[in-house]
Amino acid sequence: MTADALPGPAEPYKPGLPRPGAVLRAASDAIPPSGLVLLAILSVQIGAGFAKDLFAQLPPSAVVFLRIALSALILGVVARPRLKGLTWSDLGIGVAFGATLGLMNLSFYEALARLPMGIAVAIEFLGPLGVAVAASRRRLDLLWVVLAGSGIALLAPWGQASGLSWLGIGFALVAGACWAGYILLSAAVGQRFPGTGGVSFAMIVACLLIAPVGIGSGGADLLRPELLLIGLGVGLLSSVIPYSIEMEALRRMPKRVFGILMSLEPAAAALVGLVVLGEVLQVREWAAIGCVVVASVGATRSTG
């Protein structure tokens, strides 16, 4: 949803002054679509960095609930889902979409609590990579599978010297599988729910499903004003802002190019982890992330 679609104040604007929506639209039009995608990637990863910083005060499940609840509140206001005219089958698809979204975020945050950001995102990225490879029938795609598998093999904590967690890797793999399901379900939801109502509906479902574990683990700390403020920032950076930017970018660029640029997410996550959280990766781990990025770029180009 663009800024022009947001409700404005009731009072009239003075002649000659541009409306805020027009200003935001002009600003986004001044940025190349590739720049918008990079901004969206940075927004998501910075949001994840702030979320991980919260783990010192809240468990990952509580942080997930805080992020999803505040995101659902914001999206529910600006893109209220319209359920009139939907069938039970449509609602079932929407619930499945929301459940996948909730489990994806919960699994990723649990992985993030046990792994450096760049590594967690690289492993999670196997989900969309698998979808891209499955959509193509070229033999060359076997190379991308092998390359991605080599990257994960480099990350696996085979030796005693490795500080990586098998449990963290497992959570990241679950998050990747959910991401693949999210991609597949998003097309079905887009056909059944008008506008951006499907995403808003899914966020509400995810919030309701995560609430028991999130509230149970976070308790009264979830109401602390400073944590609510950080949670709001995480929700904006991780969901609301990047989603809006991505929609604008997709309006102005081919999906294949969009997918190639999104393949840079693991590298961006590693850089944000280094700058925001001080997570220094070994050369072997940077090489593994590079393998996943190259494999994702190659697979995305093959599907174009």
Side-chain angles (χ1 to χ4, degrees), residues 44-125:
V44 168
Q45 300 310 326
I46 292 174
F50 286 153
K52 185 167 184 175
D53 200 41
L54 271 181
F55 293 167
Q57 303 180 68
L58 288 173
S61 56
V63 177
V64 171
F65 170 70
L66 198 60
R67 169 194 162 178
I68 291 180
L70 292 171
S71 298
L73 179 63
I74 296 170
L75 288 174
V77 171
V78 301
R80 186 173 60 183
R82 298 178 182 178
L83 305 183
K84 185 177 180 180
L86 297 178
T87 66
W88 286 108
S89 175
D90 297 336
L91 293 175
I93 293 292
V95 169
F97 188 49
T100 301
L101 176 66
L103 182 58
M104 177 179 70
N105 281 279
L106 180 60
S107 301
F108 176 68
Y109 274 39
E110 291 289 352
L112 203 59
R114 296 167 173 84
L115 299 172
M117 271 185 60
I119 293 175
V121 173
I123 297 174
E124 185 195 28
F125 222 77

Side-chain angles (χ1 to χ4, degrees), residues 190-233:
Q191 295 173 355
R192 290 168 169 80
F193 286 76
T196 57
V199 175
S200 180
F201 178 80
M203 196 69 75
I204 294 172
V205 171
C207 178
L208 294 176
L209 292 177
I210 297 296
V213 62
I215 296 175
S217 63
D221 285 339
L222 289 170
L223 299 178
R224 289 167 54 187
E226 68 275 16
L227 297 186
L228 283 172
L229 184 61
I230 298 174
L232 177 62

Side-chain angles (χ1 to χ4, degrees), residues 119-218:
I119 293 175
V121 173
I123 297 174
E124 185 195 28
F125 222 77
L126 293 180
L129 174 59
V131 173
V133 170
S136 178
R137 296 293 182 268
R138 296 177 56 180
R139 292 183 179 180
L140 181 62
D141 290 326
L142 294 176
L143 171 63
W144 312 131
V145 173
V146 172
L147 188 60
S150 300
I152 300 307
L154 285 172
L155 292 176
W158 306 114
Q160 297 295 326
S162 175
L164 297 186
S165 161
W166 279 110
L167 184 59
I169 291 175
F171 275 121
L173 289 172
V174 172
C178 290
W179 196 351
Y182 176 89
I183 293 171
L184 298 175
L185 285 169
S186 62
V189 169
Q191 295 173 355
R192 290 168 169 80
F193 286 76
T196 57
V199 175
S200 180
F201 178 80
M203 196 69 75
I204 294 172
V205 171
C207 178
L208 294 176
L209 292 177
I210 297 296
V213 62
I215 296 175
S217 63

